Amino acid sequence: MLILNKNLRSQLRKPIGDLYSSLDDVEDFLKSKYPDELLITVGDVTTQKLQKAGLIPHLGIIDNIVERKPASYDVVYDNVTLNVKNPPGVITDELQETIKKAFQLVKSGFRVLILVDGEEDLAALPCILMAPSGSLVLYGQPGEGLVVCEVDKVINKVKKFKDKLEER
């Protein structure tokens, strides 16, 4: 299990990738990559907005919570759904194993939705570390917009950050 201690939280408030104020600002770029490159979303709003734009994530990770309140809509698409528990502020071994399994399913041609009981906020980190080269990981930056992480460009930054997490 990896634990985000309090002094690292401020570092995670900065986007890991490129920040866009809305999906409209990056939609053409995403469509130019899709479906050839894997599209991975973390968060209910991000997953739902991409789905509405016709960009169905190969892997979506949600917790049915938006800004600490139950989501007011369902994310539903033709997928394999995996369930996992993951408390706030940590990346459990179970979450990492579930993401690994999801990538194996995606490689076999399935779309996968991981439904987290707890919090999915830190799931972008293991996704970036496990995603194939060329993949895109997207997540919401509360109050600011959408972060697009081109895995090949951010992987070294994420590896360094992961090394700072407390391991148990």
Side-chain angles (χ1 to χ4, degrees), residues 11 15 38 45 47 56 73 83 92 98 115 133 135 159-160 168:
Q11 288 182 37
L38 285 190
V45 172
T47 303
I56 309 302
Y73 49 79
N83 294 286
T92 61
T98 303
L115 181 55
S133 179
S135 299
K159 283 179 182 176
K160 286 177 187 170
R168 274 200 204 151

Side-chain angles (χ1 to χ4, degrees), residues 15-82:
I16 295 171
D18 297 321
L19 177 64
Y20 295 88
S21 60
S22 73
L23 176 58
D24 293 340
D25 294 343
V26 72
E27 192 171 354
D28 289 341
F29 169 73
L30 295 176
K31 285 184 175 177
S32 75
K33 299 281 188 182
Y34 183 82
D36 301 324
E37 305 297 341
L38 285 190
L39 204 55
I40 301 142
T41 57
V42 177
D44 295 71
V45 172
T46 302
T47 303
Q48 190 257 354
K49 283 189 176 186
L50 259 74
Q51 180 184 5
K52 277 182 118 175
L55 296 163
I56 309 302
H58 297 89
L59 169 58
I61 303 178
I62 64 170
D63 61 8
N64 285 324
I65 304 289
V66 176
E67 295 182 5
R68 312 262 185 255
K69 296 179 185 141
S72 59
Y73 49 79
D74 290 324
V75 173
V76 179
Y77 58 92
D78 186 19
N79 61 63
V80 173
T81 301
L82 303 174

